[in-house]
Amino acid sequence: MECSFFSSKYMPMSEIAHLERTNSSQFSSFRPLVEVKSTPHFSSCRGTSPKASHSSTPNSSYVPKQAVSSVDEEKLGAGNLLYQINGTNSSLFSRNLRILDSFDDEYDGVIVDSERLPANPNVFASMLSFSISHWKSKRRPDSSKFRILLILIHYLQGKKGIWLKLPVEKSDLVPVAVKEGFEYHHAERGYVMLTYWLPEGPSMLPANASHQVGVGGFVINDKNEVLVVQEKYCAPQFVGLWKIPTGFIVESEEIFTGAVREVKEETGVDTEFVEVVAFRHVHNVAFEKSDLFFICMLKPVSTHIMVDDHEIQAAKWMPLVEFVEQPLIQQDCMFKKVIDICIERLGKRYCGLSVHQVASTFDGKTSSLYYNVIDSQHNNCIGN
């Protein structure tokens, strides 16, 4: 959302002058020290974070200059709109102290605009420090006595959390933010996200993602053969094991489409999703993260195998009996239980979770909801 302060579109200068005249009895000690001219904008901001700052200025410095965006750090020529309050001069738009461009989030937090960050680390350091002080501010002027001041600065209120996304090309700003008190939240290939909790007490900002999500595809044809693979890279104890195709869900991917994709990538076989028959939850798997693994029943729509040479050593259709009798399957309680569940599903003595697209008015989005439906008409499964 874009907003402007002192835009001629929103607040004509004549109205500001009128407000001063109508409130002169309440503002006997407050008078502007600038001659208001027809400048279209004194300052602008994104979201609800004003690019306003305060600094001391000599009494003779009464010349306003046009404000500039914070990205022009080489042209630190933000205007100096001056006031005299009880004989003290202050600048609302300072040359050296400006607030980082930002957006408000729905939880009374601040999201710094990563596309409008200053490139100079020294400029960034001063702006970041001043911005934190501004967002911590909880001063709320009395509107009956400071109405004009409210109009000028829009609002002054304390914020809760700051989200600072620093792209790779501005990684030299990371030490500056850390020194200021920011903490690492998460990182992706192109950026690092840092956070700062403003109120006293423990941070209430949501933590980084705690889980990785994996899928496995149990594919069985009309000959009672299971589609299995041997991985090229695996732990020594798993060398020679024939297993179902598995992999990780990628960003913004559904569980059921991820299972179909993994089977296609590893074996070249096309499949259709049937059900989620079970899922496993385990902790401290990779870099202290938890893991959710969904076993999906899939129906083959092709049979020709084309192995992915990068990940897979071999792939084949294996009789179900041979697959189950593998020593590593028989000796592992979880593997054996998963196979038992799949066999029960084939015998229609067990019902898995089918996927349904359901819309929600809470977020206005359509989600994939997995639940059990016993279809007696088609005798899909009997259930427990």
Side-chain angles (χ1 to χ4, degrees):
M1 175 175 119
E2 299 280 350
C3 68
S4 296
F5 298 132
F6 293 110
S7 167
S8 57
K9 176 181 177 182
Y10 299 104
M11 180 58 65
M13 294 306 174
S14 59
E15 290 190 20
I16 296 177
H18 173 71
L19 281 173
E20 190 210 352
R21 290 194 300 270
T22 57
N23 292 275
S24 59
S25 61
Q26 298 174 348
F27 286 87
S28 57
S29 61
F30 178 91
R31 61 183 181 86
L33 297 177
V34 295
E35 178 183 354
V36 179
K37 298 182 180 180
S38 58
T39 305
H41 298 274
F42 278 92
S43 180
S44 63
C45 71
R46 297 180 62 86
T48 56
S49 298
K51 297 178 191 170
S53 59
H54 301 266
S55 65
S56 298
T57 310
N59 293 342
S60 59
S61 301
Y62 297 156
V63 181
K65 299 179 182 179
Q66 184 176 353
V68 296
S69 171
S70 63
V71 294
D72 299 325
E73 67 275 1
E74 291 84 4
K75 302 176 182 179
L76 298 178
N80 293 317
L81 181 58
L82 305 179
Y83 302 94
Q84 187 172 36
I85 303 177
N86 293 327
T88 302
N89 295 331
S90 62
S91 172
L92 185 61
F93 300 100
S94 169
R95 176 182 177 85
N96 296 313
L97 297 177
R98 291 173 296 140
I99 298 170
L100 293 167
D101 292 285
S102 63
F103 310 87
D104 283 354
D105 64 22
E106 58 184 313
Y107 303 104
D108 204 20
V110 177
I111 302 173
V112 177
D113 188 347
S114 60
E115 296 181 358
R116 298 174 65 85
L117 292 168
N120 187 306
N122 293 327
V123 174
F124 174 71
S126 62
M127 292 180 67
L128 182 62
S129 178
F130 183 71
S131 298
I132 292 173
S133 298
H134 171 79
W135 291 323
K136 281 182 177 180
S137 173
K138 294 185 180 297
R139 291 180 293 118
R140 298 178 181 273
D142 186 293
S143 59
S144 63
K145 296 183 178 180
F146 297 92
R147 194 170 302 168
I148 297 177
L149 191 57
L150 281 172
I151 294 172
L152 297 175
I153 61 177
H154 189 60
Y155 69 92
L156 284 174
Q157 63 177 1
K159 295 296 180 181
K160 293 182 179 178
I162 307 173
W163 297 87
L164 177 62
K165 180 180 178 181
L166 296 178
V168 165
E169 58 270 20
K170 293 186 178 179
S171 58
D172 55 341
L173 303 182
V174 173
V176 178
V178 172
K179 185 177 180 180
E180 195 63 47
F182 277 79
E183 298 179 347
Y184 291 113
H185 187 268
H186 69 274
E188 296 289 346
R189 181 172 297 180
Y191 71 87
V192 60
M193 181 70 77
L194 300 101
T195 60
Y196 189 107
W197 183 247
L198 291 164
E200 296 182 359
S203 173
M204 300 299 291
L205 294 174
N208 183 27
S210 59
H211 286 67
Q212 60 183 16
V213 180
V215 289
F218 186 86
V219 186
I220 191 163
N221 60 21
D222 54 6
K223 298 179 182 179
N224 222 28
E225 295 174 326
V226 183
L227 181 62
V228 294
V229 299
Q230 284 184 341
E231 293 186 341
K232 182 172 289 187
Y233 308 102
C234 61
Q237 64 268 30
F238 297 131
V239 173
L241 172 67
W242 291 99
K243 57 182 283 293
I244 62 174
T246 59
F248 290 106
I249 295 293
V250 299
E251 186 176 357
S252 301
E253 186 177 39
E254 300 282 357
I255 293 171
F256 68 94
T257 56
V260 171
R261 175 189 54 77
E262 281 293 341
V263 170
K264 176 68 174 179
E265 288 179 356
E266 293 189 359
T267 69
V269 175
D270 294 305
T271 61
E272 292 179 352
F273 174 82
V274 180
E275 290 174 345
V276 171
V277 294
F279 68 89
R280 180 206 67 179
H281 191 199
V282 65
H283 307 288
N284 297 318
V285 174
F287 300 102
E288 301 177 0
K289 298 296 182 181
S290 299
D291 180 270
L292 282 168
F293 181 74
F294 293 84
I295 299 96
C296 302
M297 179 79 70
L298 305 178
K299 177 183 177 181
V301 295
S302 69
T303 58
H304 178 68
I305 293 176
M306 186 179 297
V307 174
D308 176 14
D309 295 332
H310 296 289
E311 297 183 64
I312 304 302
Q313 184 69 37
K316 67 178 182 178
W317 290 100
M318 187 179 196
L320 178 60
V321 175
E322 292 183 21
F323 177 64
V324 174
E325 289 179 350
Q326 291 183 97
L328 285 174
I329 297 293
Q330 290 296 317
Q331 295 169 9
D332 189 281
C333 294
M334 191 191 68
F335 279 176
K336 189 174 184 303
K337 185 61 178 178
V338 168
I339 301 305
D340 288 345
I341 291 172
C342 292
I343 293 173
E344 290 295 304
R345 177 64 186 85
L346 292 172
K348 299 180 180 179
R349 296 180 295 273
Y350 176 88
C351 298
L353 306 176
S354 55
V355 63
H356 305 267
Q357 301 301 312
V358 181
S360 172
T361 57
F362 285 98
D363 56 13
K365 297 181 180 180
T366 299
S367 302
S368 296
L369 186 64
Y370 295 80
Y371 58 89
N372 183 312
V373 175
I374 299 177
D375 191 346
S376 59
Q377 182 179 354
H378 297 89
N379 196 28
N380 189 46
C381 64
I382 300 174
N384 295 329

